[in-house]
Amino acid sequence: LSLKFGDIGNLKGLVIRLLLTTSYYQLSVQNWFSLHRLQLLYNHSVQATFNATGIHAPATYSFRCEHVSSLQRYDALLVPSSANDLSQLWEVTFIDFQIQGFNVQEGHFAHARDCASFFSPAILMGLVMSLVLLLVLAYALHMLIHLKSLDRHYECKASPAYFAQRKDSDMGDEKEPLRNSGNESYELRNQQFGKIYI
């Protein structure tokens, strides 16, 4: 694909040549096109050659990117093909770049595949924060499941108290006086006890 500037001043002899290929990938079961190389020609001589990286899309789609550039601040999708040629002297930047090499219908671009990576910094930060929140939630649920009732910690450990079961009519017959060091005491005869925990 060659872009010619026609009779525009100093750009009259400038041609931008985009070398595109198509390949069939069994994993996606469809053809994909790729931009492999970009060449700058001036007066029919090659001035610079850049290898393209990451510029590909299904053949029925177009490829769109906000910046396709040889500059590092724009992620440098265009890389000089050699350190010895004149490519190092050129800086190439396309703004609002969109390309479709094949299956163009009625002169309109097909649905675009965007160049934005799925793992952009914002998305990665969101995934990390989601993972941290998920770990906190799992720890909180773990603590709730293993939380013991407070009643168990405050159970009385004292010995049980025994109270005799009495009948009002037999109150006088159930006790027998005891003599012990001058104090008057009584022992219950009835051996039926009720056990009560306090």
Side-chain angles (χ1 to χ4, degrees):
L1 178 64
S2 294
L3 303 177
K4 299 180 180 179
F5 289 87
D7 297 330
I8 304 176
N10 295 331
L11 299 177
K12 184 176 180 179
L14 181 64
V15 176
I16 298 176
R17 182 182 293 167
L18 305 166
L19 302 175
L20 300 158
T21 60
T22 182
S23 301
Y24 179 78
Y25 291 95
Q26 293 182 352
L27 189 62
S28 61
V29 196
Q30 62 182 338
N31 288 319
W32 284 61
F33 79 89
S34 300
L35 174 62
H36 279 286
R37 192 172 292 115
L38 181 141
Q39 292 179 335
L40 299 176
L41 291 86
Y42 190 75
N43 292 332
H44 305 291
S45 64
V46 176
Q47 301 294 317
T49 302
F50 295 89
N51 293 329
T53 58
I55 301 177
H56 49 75
T60 56
Y61 283 53
S62 64
F63 176 86
R64 184 176 60 84
C65 197
E66 185 177 354
H67 293 97
V68 171
S69 176
S70 61
L71 302 177
Q72 289 297 326
R73 67 172 176 263
Y74 296 129
D75 295 331
L77 295 178
L78 301 175
V79 180
S81 61
S82 174
N84 299 326
D85 64 6
L86 299 176
S87 301
Q88 299 287 343
L89 304 176
W90 289 76
E91 291 182 356
V92 179
T93 300
F94 295 98
I95 299 173
D96 293 329
F97 179 84
Q98 188 166 0
I99 190 172
Q100 182 176 349
F102 308 95
N103 302 318
V104 179
Q105 297 179 0
E106 300 179 1
H108 297 290
F109 284 116
H111 183 72
R113 180 182 182 272
D114 203 82
C115 67
S117 173
F118 179 73
F119 291 106
S120 65
I123 293 175
L124 284 176
M125 183 60 70
L127 289 174
V128 169
M129 291 304 296
S130 299
L131 180 62
V132 169
L133 291 175
L134 187 62
L135 290 174
V136 170
L137 179 63
Y139 179 73
L141 287 175
H142 172 76
M143 295 301 289
L144 283 175
I145 289 171
H146 292 87
L147 183 65
K148 296 182 178 179
S149 174
L150 293 177
D151 295 340
R152 295 181 185 176
H153 297 288
Y154 291 101
E155 275 185 0
C156 182
K157 304 297 182 186
S159 59
Y162 293 94
F163 295 93
Q165 296 178 355
R166 302 180 195 164
K167 295 179 183 175
D168 294 338
S169 59
D170 300 333
M171 286 292 287
D173 298 334
E174 289 181 354
K175 51 187 178 180
E176 179 179 315
L178 295 173
R179 301 295 189 277
N180 186 9
S181 66
N183 296 328
E184 187 175 4
S185 303
Y186 295 90
E187 180 181 11
L188 296 176
R189 290 180 180 175
N190 192 348
Q191 297 299 318
Q192 295 178 355
F193 296 104
K195 184 183 287 186
I196 299 175
Y197 288 93
I198 300 175

